[in-house]
Amino acid sequence: MRSVRARAAIGATLVVAVALVAAGLAVLSVLRTNLIDQADLQAEVAAREVAGQLALDTPYAELDLDDEEDHPVQVTDEQGRVVFVSKGLRAVSGTASTGVSPVPSASVGATPSPGDDDDDDDDDGGDSARPARGEVSSDDPDFSDGTATVGSEQADYRFAAVEATTPAGLTLSVHAGAPLAAEQEAVDTVRGAMLTGLPLLLAVVAGVTWLVTRRALRPVEGIRREMAAITASEDLARRVPEPDSRDEIARLARTTNETLTVLEASVERQRRFVADASHELRSPIASLRTQLEVAEAHPGLLDLPGAVADTVRLQVLAADLLLLARLDAGEKPGAARLEVGALVREEVSQRTGDRIPVTVEVARGAAYEVNGSRGQLVRVVGNLLDNAQRHTEGLVAVSVTADGSGVRVEVRDDGAGVPEDERERIFERFVRLDDARSRDDGGAGLGLAIARDVVTRHGGTLTVHRAPEGGAAFRLWLPRAV
């Protein structure tokens, strides 16, 4: 099932169905329990009423039974023999005995009528030897489910059993029943109402969920259509519609537009990079080709140093472009442990073509260790020194110091410096502020861009400020190794 609306509707319907079924079962259980408790109370009242009469030595034939049809009564003696049943009782189950015919020997004279005397009793002391009245057990009655046939109708009953002791000391068990027809009818009515209303309610829940989900997902469909149009047209300047709500869909639309903005900028940067790279590569290649063609036609006119210089320049430019491509692809720096002071001294010592000697200032005995790629950090220091050599008048200085939780490397010169409004622009690719400078002297404008990209991927920063000597001061900060 691919539709979110359908899945949401079915899910909500199932949840509501489970909840309603559970609630319905609980209601039916409580209702049944309450009705059974009422039947128990009715049966107990009827049983205790008959037991009270037997405790007063009332003869069976004179027992006053109310609602014999609704409350059938069965009385058994200590041996379980039936000694009395209510009028019209034809069959019974769920009591101490299934019999409905009183035993003659037990029913005739079993419980003497008040005033009857017996010679044996006289010999034993007469009425003074027997209690004036019997008693009814105060214990909670025993309840049971059963059936009874009164007249020609059979029904379910709830029976209560109460013990009574006659004045003659005979213990009798009185079973009185209360009909369960009302309980069953009420439960069946409630169950029928639930079964009838449940499908209707679930249909309403499914329909409402479908409509609400459809309305909620309408902006998502708009976003999908616009994204499909952007994909087809490749126009990254377009944006998806943002709903006025402040919900997740609105945040999704805003995030999508932010992603499109970043993607558009990235694509534009790549296009500009390709165009600038093509332009920068065209000049040394054209120069080198011209020199080789001249040398082919006039070997004596071959400018070998110029050809070598163009080849070196082309090689450096290709290396810069490859490094930028790797950085843009997300290449992570190495995790080697490096001592920055030693790295700077080594790089400066290997520079033999500088027109101005480089002064190195590193505190002796101090260890400035960082984690990173040795080759890339050497490239950063070299690019900063190359930049300083191109702009200095007579001073190039490098200092390595501690700076909070990191290490700071500062490269200073005494040149013209960098205007404040251009201090971020110089880190863009193929940007050179001095347009009058020749390409051979000014480079391709990739050195500072490479330096900042490398430093950023090492978790550091690279900024430019005004040096005390009046020129530019490039400050490289890297976090200390942990």
Side-chain angles (χ1 to χ4, degrees):
M1 188 174 297
R2 299 181 180 180
S3 172
V4 175
R5 287 174 294 179
R7 289 200 298 268
I10 292 176
T13 303
L14 290 177
V15 171
V16 173
V18 172
L20 290 178
V21 169
L25 293 177
V27 170
L28 289 176
S29 177
V30 172
L31 178 62
R32 188 190 302 273
T33 300
N34 289 337
L35 293 176
I36 289 179
D37 289 343
Q38 294 181 11
D40 288 345
L41 179 60
Q42 295 176 11
E44 181 180 359
V45 170
R48 289 191 179 279
E49 182 179 353
V50 174
Q53 296 181 52
L54 293 176
L56 294 176
D57 205 17
T58 302
Y60 299 139
E62 298 179 9
L63 291 176
D64 183 12
L65 304 180
D66 296 332
D67 299 328
E68 295 186 32
E69 294 183 357
D70 291 338
H71 301 291
V73 176
Q74 180 194 63
V75 181
T76 59
D77 61 11
E78 296 173 343
Q79 288 74 35
R81 297 175 300 176
V82 177
V83 297
F84 175 79
V85 295
S86 59
K87 182 179 179 181
L89 183 62
R90 299 289 181 264
V92 66
S93 64
T95 59
S97 175
T98 58
V100 292
S101 298
V103 178
S105 58
S107 59
V108 178
T111 306
S113 300
D116 289 347
D117 293 330
D118 188 90
D119 294 340
D120 294 337
D121 292 336
D122 292 340
D123 294 340
D124 293 337
D127 292 338
S128 61
R130 73 176 60 155
R133 58 178 295 173
E135 62 179 9
V136 178
S137 174
S138 60
D139 296 338
D140 292 336
D142 295 329
F143 296 100
S144 60
D145 293 323
T147 61
T149 302
V150 180
S152 59
E153 296 183 359
Q154 182 179 359
D156 294 327
Y157 285 83
R158 185 74 171 170
F159 289 97
V162 177
E163 289 189 353
T165 303
T166 65
L170 178 63
T171 300
L172 301 175
S173 296
V174 180
H175 292 82
L180 294 177
E183 176 268 343
Q184 293 173 347
E185 182 179 358
V187 171
D188 290 342
T189 301
V190 174
R191 184 189 297 113
M194 288 183 176
L195 292 178
T196 302
L198 181 61
L200 297 177
L201 183 58
L202 293 180
V204 172
V205 170
V208 171
T209 304
W210 175 275
L211 295 176
V212 171
T213 307
R214 180 182 180 182
R215 181 178 180 85
L217 294 179
R218 187 175 300 163
V220 177
E221 179 61 22
I223 295 173
R224 187 202 64 78
R225 285 197 302 266
E226 186 63 24
M227 288 298 294
I230 293 174
T231 302
S233 64
E234 298 183 358
D235 182 8
L236 296 178
R238 300 175 63 171
R239 296 294 180 266
V240 300
E242 295 186 13
D244 297 332
S245 60
R246 298 182 179 179
D247 54 11
E248 293 82 355
I249 297 178
R251 291 195 292 270
L252 171 64
R254 287 192 291 270
T255 303
T256 302
N257 285 333
E258 292 171 359
T259 303
L260 289 173
T261 300
V262 174
L263 184 59
E264 181 186 14
S266 176
V267 171
E268 181 61 28
R269 186 168 59 250
Q270 291 295 331
R271 290 173 179 171
R272 188 168 59 249
F273 174 78
V274 171
D276 292 339
S278 300
H279 179 74
E280 294 294 335
L281 288 171
R282 187 182 298 114
S283 296
I285 291 176
S287 176
L288 183 60
R289 178 180 178 181
T290 300
Q291 295 184 56
L292 293 177
E293 289 176 348
V294 170
E296 182 181 13
H298 307 283
L301 299 179
L302 174 63
D303 182 9
L304 188 58
V308 172
D310 285 340
T311 303
V312 171
R313 181 182 171 189
L314 185 61
Q315 181 182 11
V316 172
L317 182 56
D320 287 345
L321 294 176
L322 289 174
L323 178 56
L324 285 173
R326 291 200 306 270
L327 294 176
D328 289 342
E331 179 181 288
K332 295 183 179 180
R337 199 178 187 92
L338 307 173
E339 208 287 312
V340 179
L343 183 147
V344 170
R345 289 195 187 95
E346 181 180 352
E347 173 62 16
V348 171
S349 67
Q350 294 179 357
R351 299 177 64 87
T352 59
D354 290 341
R355 64 185 182 89
I356 302 298
V358 179
T359 302
V360 180
E361 303 170 3
V362 180
R364 293 186 178 276
Y368 306 104
E369 294 184 336
V370 298
N371 292 324
S373 170
R374 181 180 185 82
Q376 292 184 5
L377 293 180
V378 167
R379 184 68 174 276
V380 171
V381 175
N383 288 356
L384 295 178
L385 291 174
D386 290 341
N387 182 76
Q389 289 288 341
R390 282 195 295 269
H391 294 84
T392 187
E393 296 292 337
L395 170 70
V396 177
V398 183
S399 63
V400 181
T401 58
D403 186 359
S405 60
V407 179
R408 185 176 71 184
V409 179
E410 186 173 83
V411 179
R412 307 188 308 276
D413 64 68
D414 61 350
V418 181
E420 188 173 354
D421 57 346
E422 299 285 354
R423 289 179 181 175
E424 283 299 317
R425 183 169 173 265
I426 62 173
F427 293 105
E428 297 179 6
R429 299 174 183 182
F430 300 106
V431 170
R432 294 184 299 274
L433 298 184
D434 189 359
D435 294 333
R437 183 186 296 115
S438 68
R439 290 185 183 276
D440 291 340
D441 293 335
L446 292 177
L448 295 179
I450 291 175
R452 172 167 276 191
D453 283 353
V454 170
V455 171
T456 300
R457 282 165 174 76
H458 279 76
T461 59
L462 178 60
T463 56
V464 61
H465 307 270
R466 182 175 179 81
E469 297 81 5
F474 285 85
R475 293 176 184 172
L476 161 65
W477 183 90
L478 292 172
R480 283 181 180 270
V482 293

